[in-house]
Amino acid sequence: MTRRLSLTLTTTAALGISCLPGCKTAEQPAAQPAAVGAQPEPGQPKPAGDGKEVQTASGLRYTDQVVGTGKEAKDGMTAVVEYTGTLLNGTQFDTSRGKPPFEFKIGSGQVIKGWDEGVAGMKIGGKRSLKIPAPLGYGAKGQPPTIPPDATLLFDVELKDLK
């Protein structure tokens, strides 16, 4: 052990490395691991389309499959979306595919809370997968007979337009 430590310190000094991995210096603080669902600092780009799941404080989880390049969806705007909804077991319970796109005013309570939260922040042309826990969906009662009580809902949503 002493010989290995001595060799490491000698090699470190010979290479001019002033700090071993994991330590921090005034010039270069050690990187801190990001918390699950952590959002980027203001002014920094969001990780997008990288397939990484983000968890919000409410428990909503989402993954950007494709990041849109158009205008960003915000509360008060009318979102025009295509979507497919399934249960965790893969059973599809709803879709707008093959029908006119679905429209709703973001943040107004016209849809389940998971949709208001999950569509906000998307950009036109974006595709996002939402994993909505029961409290942000239909809760303990569900929506019989299609959605059972306490169901986690999965939605694939594509933001087509904003009005």
Side-chain angles (χ1 to χ4, degrees):
M1 176 71 177
T2 304
R3 182 176 169 96
R4 186 177 303 152
L5 180 59
S6 174
L7 179 59
T8 300
L9 292 174
T10 303
T11 304
T12 301
L15 294 174
I17 301 170
S18 61
C19 186
L20 295 172
C23 75
K24 59 183 177 178
T25 66
E27 298 81 31
Q28 202 172 40
Q32 296 296 317
V36 173
Q39 296 296 316
E41 293 295 320
Q44 296 298 312
K46 280 185 175 180
D50 58 7
K52 291 185 180 176
E53 184 178 77
V54 175
Q55 182 174 349
T56 68
S58 69
L60 171 73
R61 293 176 183 259
Y62 69 85
T63 305
D64 283 321
Q65 305 300 333
V66 174
V67 177
T69 56
K71 189 164 47 169
E72 184 174 333
K74 297 179 183 177
D75 282 357
M77 295 178 161
T78 297
V80 180
V81 299
E82 288 189 351
Y83 69 92
T84 299
T86 60
L87 301 175
L88 287 177
N89 67 7
T91 302
Q92 182 177 305
F93 59 84
D94 196 9
T95 188
S96 68
R97 308 284 179 191
K99 306 175 196 171
F102 179 70
E103 298 185 18
F104 70 100
K105 188 172 181 179
I106 301 169
S108 68
Q110 293 178 347
V111 293
I112 58 176
K113 291 178 185 177
W115 265 51
D116 274 335
E117 184 178 346
V119 173
M122 290 182 72
K123 292 183 178 182
I124 294 174
K127 295 181 181 182
R128 182 175 280 180
S129 297
L130 305 176
K131 186 174 186 180
I132 302 175
L136 300 178
Y138 293 101
K141 292 184 178 182
Q143 193 75 23
T146 312
I147 300 172
D150 296 313
T152 295
L153 308 174
L154 305 176
F155 285 96
D156 287 320
V157 180
E158 180 178 359
L159 183 59
K160 305 296 273 183
D161 198 7
L162 290 166
K163 298 179 181 178

